[in-house]
Amino acid sequence: MHSLQIRMRAALACALFLGAASALAEYPERPIRLIISSAAGGSPDVVTRILAVELVKQMGQQIVIDNRPGGAQTIGTEMVVRATPDGYTIGYANVVTLAINKALLPKQPYDPDKDLVLVGQFLSTYNLLAVTNSLAVKSVKELIDYARQNPGKLLNASGGNGTTGHLGGELFKIMTGTQIVHVPYKGSPQGISDLIAGQVQLMFDNLTSISPHVKSGKLRGLGVSNLKRSPIFPDIPTIAEAGVPGYETTAWGGIVVPVGTPQAIVTKLNSEINKALRTSTVKERYAAIEAEPVGGTPEQFATFVRKETVKWADVVKKSGAKLD
């Protein structure tokens, strides 16, 4: 009987192995839906589409982008969580959905640590602080002085609650002792439009979204949130060197799938993402918008997420940031 049990277990293990191998060999057999929890035209949308184009070439199937903004990016993320875990619904997740919201939204409709599987990080970028041309400030120092002289009068647009545009603004207020009102939008494009029109006065937004408007002269760039200057805007100082020592915020993102997705498919997706990030096409397109391809294993992504969670929890606590 003992021998029979051993043979049965061996047969089961073999069947599971062959099943996983079969799933890997056949995947993907049909188009993949990729959910982005923010508006079309924003930084997450732009960088993910660049990656998706290359993945389509490599995997031989269409990737259908599905933008689902709103709810501090919980609407789209919940759709990924609730999807069938078969590799045909994947999601873009970032600093907001995987780190910031844990502190900002203690009652999310899911647990990102338990309900999502991290496939791989694929980029990192940072923000540009820009102001409307109608605001008579030409530097970060002048902005701080104006804000101190006019408490509560400046409006800071962001692409939504919990974004690095929101929390980066809160960090700026903490470090400068200023009172600036946060105005969340459903996506960066809407906020940028109002910034250009002068309905709001400033915005911390990913270079991917806002840099074209600074290049065209529609907006005035004052500082970048990185600790080194941007090659795209070498004449614009970092916020840290322009008057707020130690200021830094970064934005990042990766691919996730619902828990229960076969490991073979997770491994396949991770491999394809890393392969795409090594192509000259992706490298050049990311360099043009000041986004850095990252890559790596799911385990490396998980370690990074844990570190970022601690950082942003501290910012939320110190700023008292809430959903507006």
Side-chain angles (χ1 to χ4, degrees):
M1 186 67 174
H2 179 67
S3 176
L4 177 60
Q5 289 178 331
I6 292 175
R7 289 198 299 272
M8 289 175 65
R9 289 176 181 173
L12 177 60
C14 181
L16 290 172
F17 174 80
L18 291 175
S22 176
L24 179 59
E26 296 171 357
Y27 177 82
E29 295 181 296
R30 61 180 190 273
I32 297 171
R33 179 191 189 195
L34 201 172
I35 297 174
I36 303 175
S37 302
S38 55
S43 179
D45 181 68
V46 172
V47 295
T48 306
R49 286 177 187 271
I50 290 173
L51 177 70
V53 168
E54 205 62 32
L55 291 178
V56 168
K57 295 177 187 177
Q58 294 173 188
M59 301 175 76
Q61 288 289 348
Q62 289 299 310
I63 294 180
V64 181
I65 303 294
D66 188 354
N67 295 91
R68 297 290 179 140
Q73 300 194 25
T74 61
I75 294 174
T77 305
E78 185 174 13
M79 292 177 70
V80 178
V81 168
R82 307 300 177 206
T84 302
D86 58 5
Y88 290 98
T89 298
I90 64 179
Y92 170 84
N94 58 14
V95 58
V96 178
T97 52
L98 297 177
I100 292 174
N101 277 352
K102 292 175 187 176
L104 197 62
L105 298 172
K107 294 183 179 180
Q108 296 182 77
Y110 50 82
D111 184 337
D113 293 330
K114 296 179 180 179
D115 297 329
L116 292 170
V117 174
L118 304 181
V119 175
Q121 182 183 0
F122 67 84
L123 91 149
S124 178
T125 186
Y126 48 93
N127 291 341
L128 174 65
L129 166 58
V131 297
T132 183
N133 286 329
S134 60
L135 184 66
V137 300
K138 301 292 178 65
S139 68
V140 171
K141 187 177 183 305
E142 288 183 10
L143 177 66
I144 295 170
D145 290 342
Y146 184 93
R148 286 173 177 167
Q149 294 165 12
N150 300 274
K153 290 186 178 180
L154 288 177
L155 303 180
N156 170 36
S158 81
N161 283 306
T163 60
T164 55
H166 173 197
L167 272 296
E170 295 300 316
L171 181 60
F172 184 83
K173 287 156 60 176
I174 292 171
M175 298 181 73
T176 59
T178 53
Q179 296 178 36
I180 300 172
V181 180
H182 173 231
V183 182
Y185 286 79
K186 289 186 177 180
S188 291
Q190 296 94 325
I192 291 172
S193 294
D194 276 4
L195 184 64
I196 292 171
Q199 295 181 32
V200 291
Q201 288 74 47
L202 68 144
M203 190 171 186
F204 296 81
D205 199 51
N206 296 166
L207 268 79
T208 308
S209 305
I210 207 165
S211 61
H213 306 287
V214 174
K215 288 180 180 178
S216 68
K218 293 179 180 179
L219 296 172
R220 184 183 306 123
L222 300 186
V224 293
S225 71
N226 203 17
L227 290 180
K228 60 182 180 180
R229 294 196 181 197
S230 163
I232 298 177
F233 300 108
D235 295 331
I236 297 179
T238 67
I239 295 173
E241 69 178 313
V244 193
Y247 182 92
E248 179 189 20
T249 62
T250 58
W252 47 265
I255 296 298
V256 297
V257 292
V259 69
T261 300
Q263 183 58 47
I265 289 177
V266 173
T267 301
K268 169 77 170 176
L269 283 169
N270 177 268
S271 175
E272 295 292 348
I273 289 168
N274 281 296
K275 181 180 176 181
L277 294 176
R278 292 191 293 268
T279 64
S280 58
T281 301
V282 171
K283 287 180 179 179
E284 290 169 4
R285 293 197 66 187
Y286 276 1
I289 56 176
E290 200 67 9
E292 178 185 354
V294 178
T297 66
E299 292 74 23
Q300 289 172 323
F301 191 16
T303 298
F304 178 71
V305 168
R306 285 193 292 270
K307 179 181 177 182
E308 284 286 284
T309 298
V310 172
K311 171 186 175 178
W312 289 109
D314 186 56
V315 173
V316 170
K317 181 179 179 180
K318 288 180 177 178
S319 68
K322 294 179 172 45
L323 297 185
D324 298 305

